[in-house]
């Protein structure tokens, strides 16, 4: 594939700061990471719902949903996973620039990929939310029956079974989803946003 070379960045007429001022709140990406079945999508959507209820400009980028469209050409090899996360990072940056709080729910198993996305953002705009849940509990939940299929060898390169998950070293927020309810997890995240004057 030939890469475009005759392109020039075009600065927006309205700045990120002006959009934030009009919205009355900051804009960040809440980057949810964790094993399949840990509760990432459930908590991310619950956070989004509460922000919406409060009149906050927000949006959810969910892993499965994005793979139905933007990333439908990608599989689950390591290189495809890398590209999946790179693209989502770029999309999330556009949302943050537009003044929104965007929540992303992706396994994003590799630290280097998450660090690469973090590098796209200004200080404080990338909030890594580690949904920490033991593999045994994720397998017990197994809402999509993916672990069952992976254990039978029907799914290859499945994170936590035959593909690694690299837990964050220093996430901004860690939530033990096997110890806290969804409502309690949402409150922990909202408390962080208020403490950082994002809300």
């Amino acid at each position: 594939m030939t890469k475009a070379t005759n392109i020039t960045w075009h600065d927006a007429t309205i700045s990120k700061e002006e959009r934030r001022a009009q919205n009355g709140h900051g804009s960040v990406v809440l980057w949810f990471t964790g094993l399949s079945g840990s509760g990432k999508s459930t908590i991310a959507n619950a956070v989004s719902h509460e922000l919406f209820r409060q009149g906050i400009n927000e949006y959810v980028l969910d892993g499965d949903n994005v793979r139905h469209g933007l990333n439908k050409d990608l599989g689950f090899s390591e290189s495809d996973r890398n590209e999946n996360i790179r693209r989502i990072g770029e999309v999330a940056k556009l949302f943050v620039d537009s003044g929104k709080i965007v929540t992303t729910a992706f396994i994003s198993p590799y630290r280097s990929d998450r660090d690469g996305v973090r590098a796209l953002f200004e200080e404080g705009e990338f909030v890594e939310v580690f949904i920490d849940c033991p593999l045994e509990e994720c397998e017990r939940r197994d809402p999509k029956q993916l672990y069952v299929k992976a254990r039978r060898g029907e799914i290859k390169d499945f994170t936590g079974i035959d593909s690694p998950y690299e837990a964050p070293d220093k996430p901004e927020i860690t939530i033990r989803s096997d110890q806290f309810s969804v409502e309690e997890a949402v409150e922990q995240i909202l408390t962080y946003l208020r403490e950082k004057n994002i809300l």
Side-chain angles (χ1 to χ4, degrees), residues 35-36 135 138-139 142 145-151 158 161:
L35 292 170
S36 177
L135 177 61
C138 292
E139 287 201 65
D142 203 9
Q145 295 297 292
L146 298 177
Y147 285 101
V148 170
K149 294 176 182 176
R151 292 289 187 190
F158 190 76
I161 303 301

Side-chain angles (χ1 to χ4, degrees), residues 6 9 16 24 31-32 41 78 84 100 107 109 134 139-140 143 163 165 170 176-177 182 184 189 191:
N6 299 314
W9 182 264
K16 175 170 54 181
W31 191 277
F32 287 76
S41 292
E78 184 171 345
N84 183 51
K100 287 182 170 56
I107 294 173
E139 287 201 65
R140 187 191 67 77
S163 186
Y165 177 77
K170 295 179 181 177
R176 283 293 302 265
S177 62
V182 172
E184 289 169 328
I189 294 165
T191 296

